[in-house]
Structures are given as structure tokens and as C-alpha cells.
Amino acid sequence: MIDLKDRPDFGWNFLLGLSVVGIAVSIWFGFISPVPQLSWISKTRTSTLNPTVERANAKIADDLAQIRRQSWKVSSETLGSAVLAYLSGVSEKNSVQLTGFRTEKTVDVAKLTEAPFVVVVEGGFPDVVAFARKLEDPSSKLAVNLMQISASDTGPGRVTATFGLLGFLVKEPQ
């Protein structure tokens, strides 16, 4: 048994030698040893993976096209006015009065910018329900995440509805 108290430099020399061997082994496997070639089985597996990757890329492209159809094609600065114009047209068609519109802070999520809005409308109950259906239509570019209906003080048979809406912008790569 080697007593390190008698020869303290032996321990350090041993660690230095061990690290040199470790570096030499890593250099051998990293740079000098040949890279193994793909066998025939691996090549056939790669050939079956390529169509799968192509299908996945096509699915991604289709999904992105659908997201672009459902998102607004305006800048983030003009999104509020575009949504207000859209909501004004929908409210006129459904005979409801747009009494409040508020934008909130946008949130960036992955490649999308989520813009929340709060809309208050007033009108007859059937008209407000028709307005809500128009907003929830699959062709609408707004997602309804809140709907609150209460009786209105302005007259009998009238209701006030508050809607929480989300509009999305796709961030294009720069």
C-alpha cells in the first residue's frame, strides 16, 4: 500500500496521468476512430422515415395555412380599429347597440400574438344571442372566451351582454 503522507506528489501525479489518459481516449473516439457507416437496415429505415417526415411537414404547412385564415392580416397597431370596425358591422346587422369596447395588453405566444378585447352590447335578448352566434361562427376571426348576459336598466326585454374576445396575429419570420 502506498502511503500518500510519505509521497504527497504521487497522488497529484496519478491524477494528472489519469486525466491525460482520459483526454487521449476522448480524442481517439472524437477525431481519430472512423465513423461507422450506415448498414443496409439503417438505410431502409431512413428511407421509410423520409415519407413520414414529408407528411409531417405537409401537415404543418396545412395547419399554418388554416391558422393564417383564422388570424388577422393587419399590424398589431391597427388590430384594435379593425376589430372595432368588424364588431360595428356585426352589431348593426343584428340590431344591437355596441356600448363599450376595450382593448387589453397583447400576449406573445410562440408564433402568435394574442390580443384580448372586451365588448359590451345592449339589445333584445334574441338579437344579443344572434350577435353571439355570429361571433362564435367558425369563419369569424375572433374567439369568444367570456359571455355574460344581464338584464338592462334601459327598458323591458333588453339585456346587456359583455363578451371577452381574442384576436390572433401570426408573427412572420424576419
Side-chain angles (χ1 to χ4, degrees), residues 48-59:
T48 59
L49 285 178
N50 285 340
T52 306
V53 170
E54 289 173 4
R55 281 193 307 270
N57 287 338
K59 176 77 171 123

mmCIF file with all atom_site columns, all heavy atoms in Angstrom, residues 48-59:
data_model
loop_
_atom_site.group_PDB
_atom_site.id
_atom_site.type_symbol
_atom_site.label_atom_id
_atom_site.label_alt_id
_atom_site.label_comp_id
_atom_site.label_asym_id
_atom_site.label_entity_id
_atom_site.label_seq_id
_atom_site.pdbx_PDB_ins_code
_atom_site.Cartn_x
_atom_site.Cartn_y
_atom_site.Cartn_z
_atom_site.occupancy
_atom_site.B_iso_or_equiv
_atom_site.pdbx_formal_charge
_atom_site.auth_seq_id
_atom_site.auth_comp_id
_atom_site.auth_asym_id
_atom_site.auth_atom_id
_atom_site.pdbx_PDB_model_num
ATOM 1  N N   . THR A 1 48 ? -37.791 4.776  -45.011 1.00 0.00 ? 48 THR A N   1
ATOM 2  C CA  . THR A 1 48 ? -39.185 4.759  -44.550 1.00 0.00 ? 48 THR A CA  1
ATOM 3  C C   . THR A 1 48 ? -39.503 5.993  -43.708 1.00 0.00 ? 48 THR A C   1
ATOM 4  O O   . THR A 1 48 ? -40.655 6.385  -43.617 1.00 0.00 ? 48 THR A O   1
ATOM 5  C CB  . THR A 1 48 ? -39.488 3.489  -43.728 1.00 0.00 ? 48 THR A CB  1
ATOM 6  O OG1 . THR A 1 48 ? -38.615 3.441  -42.608 1.00 0.00 ? 48 THR A OG1 1
ATOM 7  C CG2 . THR A 1 48 ? -39.338 2.241  -44.564 1.00 0.00 ? 48 THR A CG2 1
ATOM 8  N N   . LEU A 1 49 ? -38.490 6.588  -43.102 1.00 0.00 ? 49 LEU A N   1
ATOM 9  C CA  . LEU A 1 49 ? -38.736 7.784  -42.302 1.00 0.00 ? 49 LEU A CA  1
ATOM 10 C C   . LEU A 1 49 ? -38.931 9.026  -43.161 1.00 0.00 ? 49 LEU A C   1
ATOM 11 O O   . LEU A 1 49 ? -39.671 9.931  -42.779 1.00 0.00 ? 49 LEU A O   1
ATOM 12 C CB  . LEU A 1 49 ? -37.579 8.023  -41.327 1.00 0.00 ? 49 LEU A CB  1
ATOM 13 C CG  . LEU A 1 49 ? -37.516 7.107  -40.122 1.00 0.00 ? 49 LEU A CG  1
ATOM 14 C CD1 . LEU A 1 49 ? -36.291 7.431  -39.284 1.00 0.00 ? 49 LEU A CD1 1
ATOM 15 C CD2 . LEU A 1 49 ? -38.762 7.219  -39.285 1.00 0.00 ? 49 LEU A CD2 1
ATOM 16 N N   . ASN A 1 50 ? -38.279 9.096  -44.309 1.00 0.00 ? 50 ASN A N   1
ATOM 17 C CA  . ASN A 1 50 ? -38.383 10.282 -45.159 1.00 0.00 ? 50 ASN A CA  1
ATOM 18 C C   . ASN A 1 50 ? -39.819 10.594 -45.577 1.00 0.00 ? 50 ASN A C   1
ATOM 19 O O   . ASN A 1 50 ? -40.243 11.743 -45.488 1.00 0.00 ? 50 ASN A O   1
ATOM 20 C CB  . ASN A 1 50 ? -37.469 10.151 -46.375 1.00 0.00 ? 50 ASN A CB  1
ATOM 21 C CG  . ASN A 1 50 ? -36.016 10.361 -46.008 1.00 0.00 ? 50 ASN A CG  1
ATOM 22 O OD1 . ASN A 1 50 ? -35.699 10.956 -44.974 1.00 0.00 ? 50 ASN A OD1 1
ATOM 23 N ND2 . ASN A 1 50 ? -35.126 9.874  -46.848 1.00 0.00 ? 50 ASN A ND2 1
ATOM 24 N N   . PRO A 1 51 ? -40.617 9.625  -46.031 1.00 0.00 ? 51 PRO A N   1
ATOM 25 C CA  . PRO A 1 51 ? -42.017 9.946  -46.345 1.00 0.00 ? 51 PRO A CA  1
ATOM 26 C C   . PRO A 1 51 ? -42.810 10.389 -45.109 1.00 0.00 ? 51 PRO A C   1
ATOM 27 O O   . PRO A 1 51 ? -43.678 11.254 -45.210 1.00 0.00 ? 51 PRO A O   1
ATOM 28 C CB  . PRO A 1 51 ? -42.583 8.639  -46.904 1.00 0.00 ? 51 PRO A CB  1
ATOM 29 C CG  . PRO A 1 51 ? -41.401 7.870  -47.363 1.00 0.00 ? 51 PRO A CG  1
ATOM 30 C CD  . PRO A 1 51 ? -40.280 8.272  -46.472 1.00 0.00 ? 51 PRO A CD  1
ATOM 31 N N   . THR A 1 52 ? -42.492 9.824  -43.963 1.00 0.00 ? 52 THR A N   1
ATOM 32 C CA  . THR A 1 52 ? -43.174 10.231 -42.734 1.00 0.00 ? 52 THR A CA  1
ATOM 33 C C   . THR A 1 52 ? -42.848 11.682 -42.404 1.00 0.00 ? 52 THR A C   1
ATOM 34 O O   . THR A 1 52 ? -43.740 12.459 -42.035 1.00 0.00 ? 52 THR A O   1
ATOM 35 C CB  . THR A 1 52 ? -42.746 9.317  -41.567 1.00 0.00 ? 52 THR A CB  1
ATOM 36 O OG1 . THR A 1 52 ? -42.970 7.961  -41.937 1.00 0.00 ? 52 THR A OG1 1
ATOM 37 C CG2 . THR A 1 52 ? -43.524 9.647  -40.309 1.00 0.00 ? 52 THR A CG2 1
ATOM 38 N N   . VAL A 1 53 ? -41.605 12.059 -42.556 1.00 0.00 ? 53 VAL A N   1
ATOM 39 C CA  . VAL A 1 53 ? -41.204 13.441 -42.307 1.00 0.00 ? 53 VAL A CA  1
ATOM 40 C C   . VAL A 1 53 ? -41.860 14.375 -43.316 1.00 0.00 ? 53 VAL A C   1
ATOM 41 O O   . VAL A 1 53 ? -42.330 15.464 -42.958 1.00 0.00 ? 53 VAL A O   1
ATOM 42 C CB  . VAL A 1 53 ? -39.661 13.563 -42.340 1.00 0.00 ? 53 VAL A CB  1
ATOM 43 C CG1 . VAL A 1 53 ? -39.228 15.004 -42.330 1.00 0.00 ? 53 VAL A CG1 1
ATOM 44 C CG2 . VAL A 1 53 ? -39.041 12.812 -41.185 1.00 0.00 ? 53 VAL A CG2 1
ATOM 45 N N   . GLU A 1 54 ? -41.936 13.956 -44.571 1.00 0.00 ? 54 GLU A N   1
ATOM 46 C CA  . GLU A 1 54 ? -42.581 14.782 -45.592 1.00 0.00 ? 54 GLU A CA  1
ATOM 47 C C   . GLU A 1 54 ? -44.070 14.971 -45.291 1.00 0.00 ? 54 GLU A C   1
ATOM 48 O O   . GLU A 1 54 ? -44.611 16.067 -45.455 1.00 0.00 ? 54 GLU A O   1
ATOM 49 C CB  . GLU A 1 54 ? -42.383 14.163 -46.974 1.00 0.00 ? 54 GLU A CB  1
ATOM 50 C CG  . GLU A 1 54 ? -40.956 14.259 -47.471 1.00 0.00 ? 54 GLU A CG  1
ATOM 51 C CD  . GLU A 1 54 ? -40.732 13.493 -48.763 1.00 0.00 ? 54 GLU A CD  1
ATOM 52 O OE1 . GLU A 1 54 ? -41.710 12.944 -49.327 1.00 0.00 ? 54 GLU A OE1 1
ATOM 53 O OE2 . GLU A 1 54 ? -39.577 13.439 -49.202 1.00 0.00 ? 54 GLU A OE2 1
ATOM 54 N N   . ARG A 1 55 ? -44.743 13.893 -44.842 1.00 0.00 ? 55 ARG A N   1
ATOM 55 C CA  . ARG A 1 55 ? -46.161 14.015 -44.472 1.00 0.00 ? 55 ARG A CA  1
ATOM 56 C C   . ARG A 1 55 ? -46.332 14.957 -43.284 1.00 0.00 ? 55 ARG A C   1
ATOM 57 O O   . ARG A 1 55 ? -47.259 15.758 -43.241 1.00 0.00 ? 55 ARG A O   1
ATOM 58 C CB  . ARG A 1 55 ? -46.747 12.643 -44.142 1.00 0.00 ? 55 ARG A CB  1
ATOM 59 C CG  . ARG A 1 55 ? -47.099 11.815 -45.355 1.00 0.00 ? 55 ARG A CG  1
ATOM 60 C CD  . ARG A 1 55 ? -47.967 10.616 -44.992 1.00 0.00 ? 55 ARG A CD  1
ATOM 61 N NE  . ARG A 1 55 ? -47.409 9.783  -43.941 1.00 0.00 ? 55 ARG A NE  1
ATOM 62 C CZ  . ARG A 1 55 ? -46.602 8.763  -44.131 1.00 0.00 ? 55 ARG A CZ  1
ATOM 63 N NH1 . ARG A 1 55 ? -46.253 8.418  -45.362 1.00 0.00 ? 55 ARG A NH1 1
ATOM 64 N NH2 . ARG A 1 55 ? -46.147 8.047  -43.118 1.00 0.00 ? 55 ARG A NH2 1
ATOM 65 N N   . ALA A 1 56 ? -45.420 14.859 -42.306 1.00 0.00 ? 56 ALA A N   1
ATOM 66 C CA  . ALA A 1 56 ? -45.499 15.744 -41.141 1.00 0.00 ? 56 ALA A CA  1
ATOM 67 C C   . ALA A 1 56 ? -45.286 17.199 -41.554 1.00 0.00 ? 56 ALA A C   1
ATOM 68 O O   . ALA A 1 56 ? -45.983 18.099 -41.068 1.00 0.00 ? 56 ALA A O   1
ATOM 69 C CB  . ALA A 1 56 ? -44.471 15.336 -40.098 1.00 0.00 ? 56 ALA A CB  1
ATOM 70 N N   . ASN A 1 57 ? -44.335 17.444 -42.450 1.00 0.00 ? 57 ASN A N   1
ATOM 71 C CA  . ASN A 1 57 ? -44.108 18.810 -42.924 1.00 0.00 ? 57 ASN A CA  1
ATOM 72 C C   . ASN A 1 57 ? -45.303 19.335 -43.704 1.00 0.00 ? 57 ASN A C   1
ATOM 73 O O   . ASN A 1 57 ? -45.658 20.512 -43.590 1.00 0.00 ? 57 ASN A O   1
ATOM 74 C CB  . ASN A 1 57 ? -42.842 18.877 -43.780 1.00 0.00 ? 57 ASN A CB  1
ATOM 75 C CG  . ASN A 1 57 ? -41.587 18.756 -42.948 1.00 0.00 ? 57 ASN A CG  1
ATOM 76 O OD1 . ASN A 1 57 ? -41.599 19.012 -41.744 1.00 0.00 ? 57 ASN A OD1 1
ATOM 77 N ND2 . ASN A 1 57 ? -40.503 18.350 -43.573 1.00 0.00 ? 57 ASN A ND2 1
ATOM 78 N N   . ALA A 1 58 ? -45.954 18.480 -44.500 1.00 0.00 ? 58 ALA A N   1
ATOM 79 C CA  . ALA A 1 58 ? -47.158 18.894 -45.224 1.00 0.00 ? 58 ALA A CA  1
ATOM 80 C C   . ALA A 1 58 ? -48.288 19.210 -44.256 1.00 0.00 ? 58 ALA A C   1
ATOM 81 O O   . ALA A 1 58 ? -49.023 20.186 -44.446 1.00 0.00 ? 58 ALA A O   1
ATOM 82 C CB  . ALA A 1 58 ? -47.581 17.804 -46.201 1.00 0.00 ? 58 ALA A CB  1
ATOM 83 N N   . LYS A 1 59 ? -48.417 18.417 -43.193 1.00 0.00 ? 59 LYS A N   1
ATOM 84 C CA  . LYS A 1 59 ? -49.450 18.669 -42.179 1.00 0.00 ? 59 LYS A CA  1
ATOM 85 C C   . LYS A 1 59 ? -49.184 19.992 -41.463 1.00 0.00 ? 59 LYS A C   1
ATOM 86 O O   . LYS A 1 59 ? -50.116 20.763 -41.201 1.00 0.00 ? 59 LYS A O   1
ATOM 87 C CB  . LYS A 1 59 ? -49.464 17.510 -41.179 1.00 0.00 ? 59 LYS A CB  1
ATOM 88 C CG  . LYS A 1 59 ? -50.407 17.677 -40.026 1.00 0.00 ? 59 LYS A CG  1
ATOM 89 C CD  . LYS A 1 59 ? -51.823 17.419 -40.424 1.00 0.00 ? 59 LYS A CD  1
ATOM 90 C CE  . LYS A 1 59 ? -52.698 17.376 -39.192 1.00 0.00 ? 59 LYS A CE  1
ATOM 91 N NZ  . LYS A 1 59 ? -53.772 18.321 -39.228 1.00 0.00 ? 59 LYS A NZ  1
#
